Amino acid sequence: MPKLIAIAGVPRSGTTWLYNAVRLIHDRAGRSIYGAWCADYDPNTSASRHLIKVHKPEQLHAHPEITFATNRDVAESLASLVRMGWLADEEVAIKNAATNHQRLRLYWEERADYIAQYEEVTKQPLTVIEGLCSRLEILLEKSMSEAIAHELAMMQSPKSGNYDPVTLLHPGHRSDAKMNERQVDRVREILRKTKTDD
């Protein structure tokens, strides 16, 4: 039976980066690994380790031996969902999504073997890569970890169509942080208002 590694967390919280980091760590170390988005996952694929990315608990059909999760500020995640067109830019939809995000975040945090903070992913990727290597019990030279960090930073989203089956990046997956600031501020205001009303 292959060793199953799950990458989990709320949508738009850095799970795709984490997925690719684990995939590339194995690749650089010469380890056999098969990776897929949960909907494409084939448990019969021949590889010593299987890597699956999920967001919801029901998307996992087997108990993983290792679970890696991500954590990002909820307003940032929701604003990113709105930008991608995966969440309606409406107050009620954003409020409901925030509640679901909080539940999901806590669920994965309680089960994760390692949690990558989004701020670390964006500002200290080497720290996260080293943390993953430690938990995976894979030893890489610093130059290899640096090469992985560089490859992750340079990874390109597909121009159109669906997500890339290897990287799981969607068209428009990444954006300039400044372009998203206004939407984040709007989501924060909605969440503040919700707390005041409660």
Side-chain angles (χ1 to χ4, degrees):
M1 287 290 290
K3 187 171 192 171
L4 180 62
I5 303 167
I7 305 296
V10 299
R12 308 304 295 168
S13 66
T15 51
T16 304
W17 186 97
L18 209 64
Y19 171 90
N20 282 299
V22 172
R23 182 177 64 81
L24 292 174
I25 286 168
H26 282 79
D27 182 64
R28 297 280 170 161
R31 304 281 186 92
S32 168
I33 193 165
Y34 155 69
W37 164 242
C38 56
D40 303 326
Y41 177 61
D42 179 2
N44 299 311
T45 300
S46 174
S48 60
R49 289 189 173 191
H50 284 192
L51 177 66
I52 184 171
K53 181 186 156 190
V54 301
H55 292 305
K56 300 174 183 177
E58 58 267 29
Q59 292 171 328
L60 266 179
H61 300 294
H63 184 71
E65 292 191 39
I66 304 174
T67 299
F68 294 125
T70 53
N71 186 19
R72 185 182 187 184
D73 176 85
V74 65
E76 292 179 9
S77 292
L78 295 177
S80 187
L81 280 170
V82 171
R83 182 186 68 79
M84 291 294 291
W86 297 343
L87 175 63
D89 191 4
E90 298 167 359
E91 193 168 311
V92 172
I94 288 168
K95 284 180 181 179
N96 290 338
T99 301
N100 292 333
H101 265 51
Q102 295 288 22
R103 286 195 194 120
L104 205 53
R105 181 180 62 80
L106 289 172
Y107 178 89
W108 291 121
E109 279 185 1
E110 288 172 358
R111 289 157 179 79
D113 297 289
Y114 176 91
I115 300 170
Q117 302 298 326
Y118 188 81
E119 292 77 12
E120 279 190 321
V121 165
T122 55
K123 296 173 183 174
Q124 297 175 298
L126 270 179
T127 300
V128 179
I129 291 167
E130 288 166 2
L132 294 170
C133 284
S134 175
R135 185 60 190 80
L136 290 164
E137 298 181 344
I138 293 177
L139 185 63
L140 290 182
E141 293 180 6
K142 189 175 181 183
S143 60
M144 284 188 178
S145 294
E146 289 172 341
I148 290 170
H150 179 73
E151 188 169 344
L152 289 165
M154 295 296 104
M155 209 166 269
Q156 295 294 310
S157 300
K159 300 290 184 189
S160 60
N162 210 340
Y163 57 85
D164 185 299
V166 176
T167 66
L168 307 190
L169 288 169
H170 288 81
H173 205 107
R174 293 170 168 172
S175 70
D176 186 327
K178 288 185 178 178
M179 289 172 62
N180 214 29
E181 276 179 15
R182 250 184 292 177
Q183 185 62 55
V184 172
D185 288 343
R186 170 174 153 70
V187 171
R188 283 200 204 289
E189 186 54 38
I190 290 170
L191 299 184
R192 273 193 219 104
K193 187 177 167 186
T194 302
K195 284 180 180 177
T196 303
D197 292 344
D198 285 348

